Every structure is written in C-alpha cells, then in structure tokens.
Amino acid sequence: MHRAHNYRHLIARWQAVCRAAGVRLRRFAEAGKYGVYYLQTRGSGPAVYVSAGIHGDEPAGPEGLVSWAEENPGRLRAHALLIFPCLNPWGLVNNIRVDADGRDLNRSFHVMEHPLIAGWHKVMEGRAFEAAVMLHEDYDGEGFYLYEIQRQQPSWGAALLHAASGIIPVEPRARVDRYTARAGIIRRKIGTVDFASFGYPEAVWLHLHHSERTFTIESPSEFALAQRAAAHRAAIEATLAAVSGLAS
Ligand SMILES: [Zn+2]
C-alpha cells in the first residue's frame, strides 16, 4: 500500500489485469511526461464509465480501482466498461491535486485545447453510458459520501453508500463544502451553475453529454488507505449490481 503514488507500478498492475482479461491498455494522451491510459472491456449489458486519479492527492481512487479489477477479472469479461485508471499521473506521483501546469483537470472538461482533455474527448466520441463513477477523496471527510446527478429514478446513491457502509460509515455532516448532504448524498442542481465560469467538472460533462447517471464518490482521507480502497471497490460493485438490475 506504500506504493499508492507509484504510477509506473500502477500501470504495470493494469497491464497484468488487461493481459488476463484479453483487452488492450490504450494510451490516449501524454501529460507531464507520463502516458495516460484507458481500457474498454467487451462484456454485454449497459455501458459503465469508471475513472480515478484526476486529483493526484486522492490515491485511494486509483488503488481501489486497480485492486477491484485484480480481484474481479470475471466482471471485466461480463460488463461493458470504459475505465480510465488514472487521469492525472503527474499529480499522483507528486501527491498534488492539480496537473503539471497547475490546472485542476476536474474544472477543465471544456478546455478542448488541453492535450489530455482533447484526448479524452476523442476517446468519448459517440459514447453513451447508463452510469459513470468517478473515485475521489476528501481531506475534510468524516465518512463516505457522493455527489449524484441523474435523469433516471430511482436514485442509486443510497445503495452505493450502503454497500460501503460496513467499511466506512456514511458521512455524518449535513453541509459538505457549500452543499447540503442528506445521508451522505449531495444532489447538485446543475441548472443554476455557470460552468463556463466555474469550469466543467468531469461528472457534469458526463451528465450533459454521455451518461444517464453520474456518481462522484468521496472517501475520507483520514481513514486508512486499505479501508478507503475497499470502500471504493464496494461502490463499484454496487454500481454494477444496479446496472445489472436494469438489464434483467
Ligand atoms: Zn477529488
């Protein structure tokens, strides 16, 4: 677990996962001298997007995602997944939120001239997902929580939090940053936000252009890394269970 900021090691683990699953780890951009990758699995059923590591000082996301893939090779074969293992390698290596240019990538999805963002958009062309899950962490977090944006009812947020609640309890705070949280769920009213000024987060871009539901999952940084990674794995599993429920 001490290797959580070792990007080379992370990608070696993904290469092993991909070899075992018979899929290719594809490089779609270079950022701060690091290759940035995605993989697409060929399973059936509704498509799911999963990404981690857009904020480099939130290592439980990339660790949770790769360990989930290592532990669940059958899921990679069964589901139609698009996975971005780590969107900000330079940040991960340097344990910092922003990229090598000091940019918060999670406010930059409208910046088409940025090479990494441009590469991401090219990968995403024409794609539609039932759900998108983005793995994050919060230094002020006291429990596990999420931001949910979805067009479809019912809400899946409670099921995702419940799945992780045996590992990390649900966030007890009723205010998180400037938002109201109810039982660990923040439902943002995105119609009232001027994202052209604020900058487009990944989840908002996905909601507007690619996904029926988006979940930005936040683990509390003060908990042990193994626990945080396990909670992220539980949230991924709960998402796939919910997606499978749609198909059946
Ligand atoms: Zn974050």
Side-chain angles (χ1 to χ4, degrees):
M1 288 312 232
H2 61 286
R3 285 175 136 182
H5 289 278
N6 184 334
Y7 185 65
R8 200 192 285 259
H9 179 60
L10 178 73
I11 293 307
R13 290 170 70 185
W14 274 107
Q15 279 162 341
V17 163
C18 287
R19 261 197 308 278
V23 299
R24 264 184 64 196
L25 188 64
R26 295 168 191 270
R27 184 184 177 116
F28 71 93
E30 189 178 297
K33 292 189 202 145
Y34 297 97
V36 193
Y37 299 89
Y38 75 97
L39 61 136
Q40 178 181 357
T41 68
R42 293 189 287 262
S44 59
V48 177
Y49 173 106
V50 190
S51 80
I54 198 165
H55 292 143
D57 56 348
E58 302 174 7
E63 175 59 34
L65 183 50
V66 72
S67 55
W68 170 79
E70 288 167 338
E71 290 173 12
N72 297 283
R75 297 279 195 283
L76 295 178
R77 287 186 207 99
H79 290 273
L81 306 170
L82 185 71
I83 297 175
F84 290 89
C86 180
L87 283 169
N88 181 8
W90 186 89
L92 184 75
V93 169
N94 290 283
N95 193 18
I96 192 167
R97 178 179 176 93
V98 293
D99 75 359
D101 302 321
R103 177 186 285 281
D104 186 341
L105 291 170
N106 205 29
R107 301 288 181 273
S108 305
F109 278 76
H110 59 304
V111 184
M112 302 299 177
E113 60 274 19
H114 188 286
L116 186 142
I117 297 296
W120 182 90
H121 282 290
K122 204 164 174 213
V123 172
M124 294 295 288
E125 257 172 33
R127 293 184 191 268
F129 300 90
E130 282 296 335
V133 181
M134 286 134 278
L135 308 180
H136 284 254
E137 303 215 74
D138 180 358
Y139 280 92
D140 299 319
E142 296 171 18
F144 205 60
Y145 69 92
L146 56 83
Y147 296 86
E148 178 178 65
I149 317 173
Q150 59 177 52
R151 310 192 161 78
Q152 307 284 345
Q153 292 300 325
S155 158
W156 293 358
L160 270 59
L161 293 179
H162 179 74
S165 63
I167 304 158
I168 296 180
V170 173
E171 171 65 59
R173 291 175 298 163
R175 296 285 291 174
V176 173
D177 292 333
R178 55 193 180 287
Y179 307 112
T180 302
R182 290 194 176 85
I185 301 175
I186 301 164
R187 293 195 175 90
R188 290 187 66 182
K189 292 173 190 66
I190 65 162
T192 60
V193 182
D194 175 13
F195 285 106
S197 314
F198 179 79
Y200 279 85
E202 185 182 12
V204 171
W205 194 276
L206 284 162
H207 167 73
L208 292 174
H209 302 284
H210 298 285
S211 189
E212 292 295 326
R213 306 163 182 79
T214 75
F215 303 97
T216 303
I217 313 273
E218 302 273 355
S219 59
S221 304
E222 295 291 314
F223 282 63
L225 180 61
Q227 252 179 307
R228 286 142 54 202
H232 283 294
R233 290 195 295 272
I236 296 168
E237 284 286 288
T239 305
L240 294 185
V243 162
S244 298
L246 289 177
S248 63

